Amino acid sequence: VGIIVIAALVVLLVYLYFAIALNYTARKTGIKEEWAGVSWLPFAWPYLMSRIAKKSWWPAIIFGFIGFLVTIFFLPLGVEAVSLIWYLIAIILYAFTIYWNWFICIQRKKPKSWALVTPILFIAAMLIGISVNIVMEWISVVLYTIGTIWLFVMWGILAWTK
């Protein structure tokens, strides 16, 4: 029970951090307060990111809607069918998230390359993690951890610097 409570607290803290960071970043890029408030809805984060980046928002809506439809109509076919489609949707949304992060960095006058650090580290971690060598697997974990930490740092800088 203790580990579940700790995990729930970590998830809550991560949620709060990103909700607040998105809200501040949105307001600093000229998004109206009522739209910046969308940051408290985690399923709406891709939409808000597209608005902050001043790019098309349709991928966030379309792929979110497709994901919903897939869940409703394909779940009776089995979890495997839904899982594969969900992975494809997640990969597509992740690609758009990288794209939006790139333009959010531009909006906040930060280096565009910041948006590529986390995906590069995640891809490297996945490729190295395929190895059967235990040392390489640990390197993979370290790369993934560094990528995650960078994501927190980047959004902190985007939200709370001039």
Side-chain angles (χ1 to χ4, degrees):
V1 176
I3 193 77
I4 293 172
V5 171
I6 292 171
L9 285 174
V10 168
V11 168
L12 178 65
L13 290 174
V14 168
Y15 159 74
L16 289 173
Y17 179 83
F18 279 106
I20 293 168
L22 269 169
N23 191 294
Y24 274 73
T25 304
R27 287 192 274 147
K28 286 187 175 190
T29 56
I31 303 292
K32 292 180 182 169
E33 182 62 37
E34 60 269 14
W35 285 109
V38 171
S39 66
W40 296 103
L41 306 171
F43 60 85
W45 288 353
Y47 172 76
L48 183 58
M49 289 173 69
S50 69
R51 298 275 310 223
I52 295 169
K54 304 209 181 335
K55 295 295 171 191
S56 180
W57 49 264
W58 69 264
I61 303 300
I62 296 293
F63 290 110
F65 185 67
I66 289 171
F68 173 74
L69 289 179
V70 164
T71 304
I72 297 289
F73 293 111
F74 286 95
L75 202 54
L77 298 177
V79 175
E80 294 83 13
V82 174
S83 295
L84 177 63
I85 297 169
W86 265 105
Y87 284 131
L88 294 173
I89 291 169
I91 289 168
I92 292 168
L93 267 178
Y94 188 61
F96 276 106
T97 300
I98 296 165
Y99 172 76
W100 293 324
N101 280 339
W102 179 276
F103 286 98
I104 289 169
C105 287
I106 291 172
Q107 291 293 324
R108 296 288 295 125
K109 296 177 178 41
K110 305 297 181 205
K112 298 174 282 205
S113 58
W114 286 7
L116 301 177
V117 172
T118 297
I120 288 170
L121 289 172
F122 284 1
I123 290 168
M126 284 187 283
L127 294 175
I128 292 171
I130 294 171
S131 171
V132 293
N133 183 337
I134 191 71
V135 173
M136 296 303 276
E137 288 179 11
W138 275 105
I139 292 172
S140 173
V141 169
V142 169
L143 288 174
Y144 189 82
T145 304
I146 292 170
T148 303
I149 291 169
W150 172 249
L151 192 62
F152 279 87
V153 170
M154 181 186 82
W155 275 100
I157 293 170
L158 291 172
W160 291 292
T161 61
K162 291 187 180 200

